[in-house]
Amino acid sequence: KNEVEQSPQNLTAQEGEFITINCSYSVGISALHWLQQHPGGGIVSLFMLSSGKKKHGRLIATINIQEKHSSLHITASHPRDSAVYICAVNSGGSNYKLTFGKGTLLTVNP
Amino acid sequence: DAGITQSPRHKVTETGTPVTLRCHQTENHRYMYWYRQDPGHGLRLIHYSYGVKDTDKGEVSDGYSVSRSKTEDFLLTLESATSSQTSVYFCAISVVGTYEQYFGPGTRLTVT
């Protein structure tokens, strides 16, 4: 079993819909990251969080440490949000290594 | 982007040939990483470095070696490339004390 599990693997939405992507992890963590990768593109950090909730524009990330679960929400989705969203965790230690989920491919249709 | 560049950005090579990928950073970060990204597997750690001449293996290190003779450069070498090493390779750095991690633009390697 992967240490970081994401769901769903694929998600198709209509423009304007509210989107939720989930991430569950099985290890203790120091931080959880949400990353975005557009097709053929580089990897961009959206959020890094260790507790609570963060918001940036239409994107909201939450984490529940006790339940080992995080969610990424996108409000009023837009076709430009179409990308792969990747959850990753730092599971402690001094090397800052990340363990990644396999990603969620989001397609937002106009 | 923390001043991370990768070279080359694209490479096609034949099975059995040696290949070296370069990651260069301009901000003196101590920790650097090489990941590979493959469909169905996501990103996986190949090797990482925690200082000049200090490196360690990741989860998929077989067939790869690394070197770091200067803070700014982290080299990944495939001694004898195989088709299973066809992948997109990303370099990354960590900001010590913050857990922030930044990625380079990636290198697409095809081994024929």
Side-chain angles (χ1 to χ4, degrees):
Chain A
K1 185 177 188 294
N2 213 27
E3 289 183 351
V4 181
E5 298 279 353
Q6 286 185 236
S7 63
Q9 285 187 308
N10 295 278
L11 181 56
T12 301
Q14 288 300 121
E15 184 172 356
E17 286 184 358
F18 180 84
I19 288 162
T20 296
I21 299 170
N22 295 299
C23 176
S24 297
Y25 51 93
S26 57
V27 296
I29 67 167
S30 301
L32 182 141
H33 303 251
W34 282 103
L35 310 169
Q36 180 192 56
Q37 186 178 27
H38 282 100
I43 299 168
V44 175
S45 178
L46 297 175
F47 295 104
M48 184 184 68
L49 62 168
S50 55
S51 65
K53 175 179 173 178
K54 287 190 176 180
K55 184 175 190 288
H56 181 70
R58 296 179 295 105
L59 274 59
I60 303 166
T62 64
I63 188 168
N64 185 316
I65 296 295
Q66 286 72 31
E67 295 186 4
K68 292 187 166 61
H69 181 268
S70 176
S71 294
L72 177 68
H73 306 285
I74 304 175
T75 62
S77 60
H78 190 276
R80 65 175 174 267
D81 297 324
S82 297
V84 174
Y85 292 85
I86 303 167
C87 175
V89 300
N90 292 102
S91 51
S94 59
N95 53 39
Y96 301 92
K97 291 187 296 183
L98 288 177
T99 302
F100 299 85
K102 294 183 180 180
T104 296
L105 175 60
L106 172 65
T107 303
V108 181
N109 294 316
Chain B
D1 63 0
I4 305 169
T5 57
Q6 292 184 230
S7 58
R9 294 293 313 280
H10 302 271
K11 186 168 182 68
V12 180
T13 192
E14 293 185 348
T15 298
T17 59
V19 176
T20 295
L21 309 182
R22 179 183 184 233
C23 177
H24 179 78
Q25 53 128 340
T26 59
E27 298 185 2
N28 216 34
H29 294 290
R30 182 178 165 199
Y31 286 86
M32 300 183 75
Y33 310 84
W34 277 108
Y35 298 101
R36 60 178 289 174
Q37 185 179 40
D38 304 288
H41 292 280
L43 286 149
R44 293 177 292 174
L45 180 65
I46 306 170
H47 281 279
Y48 67 98
S49 170
Y50 46 98
V52 172
K53 293 186 168 47
D54 292 322
T55 66
D56 205 350
K57 295 179 179 180
E59 62 180 298
V60 290
S61 60
D62 286 349
Y64 301 95
S65 62
V66 290
S67 65
R68 192 162 176 206
S69 58
K70 299 184 290 184
T71 299
E72 58 265 36
D73 289 325
F74 191 30
L75 304 181
L76 177 71
T77 297
L78 292 65
E79 300 290 348
S80 177
T82 68
S83 58
S84 65
Q85 294 175 311
T86 292
S87 188
V88 181
Y89 291 85
F90 286 96
C91 172
I93 62 93
S94 267
V95 179
V96 171
T98 71
Y99 294 106
E100 293 172 353
Q101 192 155 136
Y102 297 96
F103 292 81
T107 293
R108 184 172 295 275
L109 177 67
T110 302
V111 184
T112 61

